[in-house]
Amino acid sequence: GFGEVTRPATFRYVWREALKMNYKPLAKMFQVLGPYFSAHFVLTPAVFYALFGPEVAATALANLVAAEILTNIHSFAIVVPNHAGEDIYRFETPVKVKSDEFYLRAVIGSANFKTGSDANDFMHGWLNYQIEHHMFPDLSMLSYQRMAPEIKAICEKHGVPYVQENVFKRVWRTTQIGVGTRSMLVWEKGH
């Protein structure tokens, strides 16, 4: 079924399955990634080639590849470290939305970067308010900025950890989880 094709969405899985002559995951990956890569790395350089020649097309391709790499690094640094670290909980069971435990998990299962100034928040794409975002995903970015001090105060009052660190410390904590030198907290085991 569809879920079986996409369950482990990794290049390694797709490659291993292709070696076993199971091409469904490979076909799904091409269906998803093909249009994007074709437009960015084939069609766009082809237009530059047709209009300006091979040197300009090669420069355009190099710039597109560099932009892709930098964008992915930036996206990783802004999104992933807010959700990983030995001071962040992960959960093995579902929770009812908008229940007391849902809001608790929103706080202990994510971290914020430095918040509070428009310039800093803009540089983080307003993704530095992950705790507030997980609690109230439908609110505006400005609402997160206004409510963050109140959420933090409520957490302090009730002894709930409200994790907030700079992006470089969070990236380091995420790297430690990724290479296996540290582990995330597990709510069901530590509760």
Side-chain angles (χ1 to χ4, degrees), residues 15 27 30 33 38 40 46 49 66 74 99 116 120 125 164 177-178:
W15 178 251
F30 275 118
L33 298 177
S38 295
H40 278 77
Y49 183 86
H74 181 254
S99 66
N120 180 68
Q164 186 170 21
I177 298 298

Side-chain angles (χ1 to χ4, degrees), residues 23-140:
Y23 298 110
K24 284 183 179 180
L26 184 64
K28 180 57 71 177
M29 185 171 279
F30 275 118
Q31 181 183 359
V32 171
L33 298 177
Y36 177 81
F37 281 93
S38 295
H40 278 77
F41 304 112
V42 177
L43 184 60
T44 301
V47 169
F48 279 96
Y49 183 86
L51 294 174
F52 306 109
E55 294 83 12
V56 174
T59 301
L61 179 60
N63 283 320
L64 288 166
V65 169
E68 186 73 22
I69 291 168
L70 292 173
T71 299
N72 280 290
I73 289 170
H74 181 254
S75 296
F76 174 88
I78 285 183
V79 175
V80 177
N82 294 89
H83 302 89
E86 76 276 3
D87 53 349
I88 300 294
Y89 283 89
R90 64 182 178 84
F91 309 98
E92 297 180 346
T93 58
V95 66
K96 184 179 178 191
V97 176
K98 296 186 180 179
S99 66
D100 292 344
E101 188 172 341
F102 170 84
Y103 293 111
L104 175 65
R105 286 183 180 201
V107 175
I108 66 174
S110 51
N112 282 356
F113 296 143
K114 183 181 176 198
T115 59
S117 74
D118 289 339
N120 180 68
D121 294 347
F122 176 79
M123 293 303 290
H124 285 289
W126 296 85
L127 296 172
N128 48 337
Y129 294 95
Q130 286 300 303
I131 292 171
E132 292 74 19
H133 168 69
H134 286 191
M135 293 177 80
F136 307 104
D138 297 332
L139 294 181
S140 73

